[in-house]
Amino acid sequence: MLLTQKIGKFAAQYFINNPRVVKAGLFSLVFAAVSCQLSAAEIPSPKDILGHNPGDDYYLANYEDSLRYFHALAAKSDKIKMFEAGKSSQGRTLEFAVISSPENLAKWEEYKAISRKLADSRRLTDAEAHKLAKNSKIIVHIDGGMHSSEVAAHQLPIRLAYTLLSSTDPKITELLNKVILVLWPTLNPDGQDMIVDWYRHNVGTPNETSPMPWLYQEYVGHDNNRDGYMLNMKETQVVTAAVQENAPAIFYAQHQKAPFPARIWVPPFSDPISQNIDPMMRNWTSLIGMHMIGEFESEQLPGAIAQARFDNWYPGFLDYTHVFRHTIAYFTETALHEYATPWTYDPAKFPENRKDLKPQIMYPSPWNGGKWTLGDAVHYMEVASLSTLDTAARYSEQIQYDRYQAGRDTIARFNSEGPYAYVISAAQHDLSEAGALVNILLKQQIDVYQLKKTTEFAGKRYPANSWVIPMAQPYAGLVQELFETQKYPATFLDKNGLPENLPYDTTGWTLPLQMGVDVAAVTEPLSQTQQSRMHVVTAVSLPADISGKGDVFVLPQAENAAYKVVNQALAAGATVEQAIVDKTPNFFISGVNQQQLTSWLQAANISAKAIKKMPTANKLNAARVGLYRPWKPSMDEGWTRWLMEQYHFPLASLYNADIKAGHLADKVDVIILPDINLSWLMDGFSAAKDDADSDNNGGAKVDPVPQQYLGGIGPEGAQALRDFVANGGRLVAFNSASSAAIKVLGLPVSNVLEGVDSNVFYCSGALLQLQLNAEADSDVLAGLLQSPVATFSHGPAFKTLPGFDGQILASYPKEGNPLLSGVLLHPEAINGKAAAIKVKYGKGEVYLFGFQPQWRGQSHGTYKFVFNTLYR
């Protein structure tokens, strides 16, 4: 084919696929068409390999397709290299591509090392940092997202890679000479495959746009972006480790939930923002977002909006936590209908405040409706991605030097203002959790030291092996963010004390409170004597040995890690008993050889004591536990399932059909209801076509799920639950499921917060103080702190009614404010009210928890509320 014919064919196809592109600009058709002339014969297009282009209606590439295309590019181009990062929860290999000029790729290891050095800052002078920033290449991370139902995100990298590698346009060449792009096909390969398989199965049927009836991450679904500092999930661990190794100066993640009818949300973020982020990182984030808006204007692509909805308060997002390592970390939210099915939007159905289509400062060119396709979404994402690369190329030296300054200034701030250190005592209620907290810090590249001998800080003596975190280190802002209590800025509260804009996520997360670990701030500079008694640690090493003599082994029930060993012992046929000796609850294990026990202790990071004689104790047996798993997927169910696996509790999933079939006592002894409301439990998915989110649909419809996934447990399932408990079963309900259980079983308990307005009570994801009932069942509360901290998120608070037979296990204080971290208004609404209750029902019992005791795998201090109900 003649060259001009090739160009003409490409141009015609491009106009068909991208009718909105009508002008020349940075990302215009002109350079795309011209660049194709020299590269098309060498660089395969997505259609050459996959038979489709990313963004085609009714087509989605799965993860294997993505990798197939990326490896095809790597086989043809010297501008791309592929790397493996680790395994996903389901065992897939996460890979990423590094794209740049051949010269830059040849020095990839050198540029990574420079980027890490600039971020760390401690071994550089200003002059040295200037020189490195000037002569190095800036590294930029862009990924295909982690929320796999946001499908344009994982289709984008295919298109972006082709654009960069097939073009000979001078502007693209300049980008690749100045920037090294780390491009991930997706951060959630399991979810991409699940979503694509689901859509492929349903496309062309009445269920085409129906939601998938299981989580798109093995355990936590959408919460895979709420794991940024805890690192519970394998994907989070893999991505975080790779980001620390590659040290990008910019981390840009793709999402798809733009505030309707906007077509793409970009930074700046809304207030409030974290106070522990260096200002330069915030400023660059805003500048990058505003540059994006300028590019959308240049390309005549309407609908870019900034600041609406998304704030910078919660630090737990995987696409945000990196900011504490002085990485410009942010995301965009592009409009989505459902999957690859297009939709035409009628502006008459826009929200009332958007119908006038008038421009605003942060919404300069309102979108006026019409057809929206997957191709449109991918194109908007590509424009935003190329804009990011353009900003990085233009300001490479300044961004990299500012990164150095951020680390330098963080050290200077804590050297002059304090806190100067935090100390985690080796004398803890639960030493295993103190070790777990230290391990989180180490995985986040925080320097941690350990005391060689007893040392005094601020008048308090700390035993040897206590941990010290000096704050004169570059990433110390993350330590303060996680350790200090959160106080929502009064500037952003209205006259009634409510946030002017509802927080996008939780408002309080202080880790020591959640984990039940005693941590103290050091408010005076560390002395030379104190520093001389510390040595750096690179891994948590807790004693995991057996002291004493005998064939009965004692483990403290106060330590969560003990439950791991107990459950392994029970599974191996050992005898486990529980008793309180000297006011301390302990587990006693017999019938297991010491070598086997030692291996369990080492895996759990916990010690045991050997004694010769078993005291009078209660024998424990592992209960058969069933966890309700609705077809309308629940992240709380996933978190619970994950937690049970971590602690080796035997667990079976109970679906609607299992509940409805009855005879539940033949299958399980305990049933857990995760945090779902009454409608979710009873009705599940509806057969009717449901509107999408009211603020993001414009009249769009979502198809119903296939017949086999419709409904909840229904009346027959409710009766089966009643029969199960009445005949001796145990029902455990979390948060909203507690209110559901009250109604399903007709319990003599009321939720005092049901239906209340924010002027009566308001609490958004905060940490609240509980008080245990000293007269309650000691078996249920064994091992807990007397005043544990619960994560309260839209839950109930209880009041007992006439006819109540049971025990109040924990309550909120009768006076004062139970708030420890976050936002809580009108505490009087819950003062003295019950937070956890045990209710007798026939021969069985129901446990109602007005909070999530396993919240996002973070609230370790309340795990025992659940664990202690899972034995018989």
Side-chain angles (χ1 to χ4, degrees), residues 430 432-433 555-571 576 578 585-587 589 600-601 604 606 620 643-650 778-784 860 863-871:
D430 185 341
S432 65
E433 287 303 337
L555 279 78
Q557 195 170 353
E559 298 202 35
N560 283 342
Y563 290 84
K564 295 180 179 180
V565 179
V566 163
N567 290 331
Q568 289 175 299
L570 287 170
V576 179
Q578 188 268 348
N586 291 293
F587 292 118
I589 301 175
W600 294 336
L601 293 173
I606 189 174
L620 295 182
L643 181 65
M644 296 297 102
E645 289 183 15
Q646 303 310 300
Y647 283 85
H648 310 297
F649 282 99
S778 60
D779 290 343
V780 177
L781 303 180
L784 284 160
H860 296 208
Y863 281 177
K864 297 182 191 74
F865 276 114
V866 184
F867 292 169
N868 289 337
T869 68
L870 304 182
Y871 299 103

Side-chain angles (χ1 to χ4, degrees), residues 27 56 97 121 126 200 219 270 273 285 366 391 405 423 438 542 544 556 595 605 607 651 666 692 718 731 771 833 869:
F27 317 111
D56 283 356
S121 77
D126 289 0
R200 288 178 177 178
Y219 299 102
S270 296
I273 58 177
T285 300
T391 304
Q405 289 193 96
V423 182
V438 171
L542 296 177
Q595 183 178 0
N605 255 337
S607 292
L651 185 74
D666 295 339
L731 183 66
Q771 292 180 344
K833 302 301 188 295
T869 68

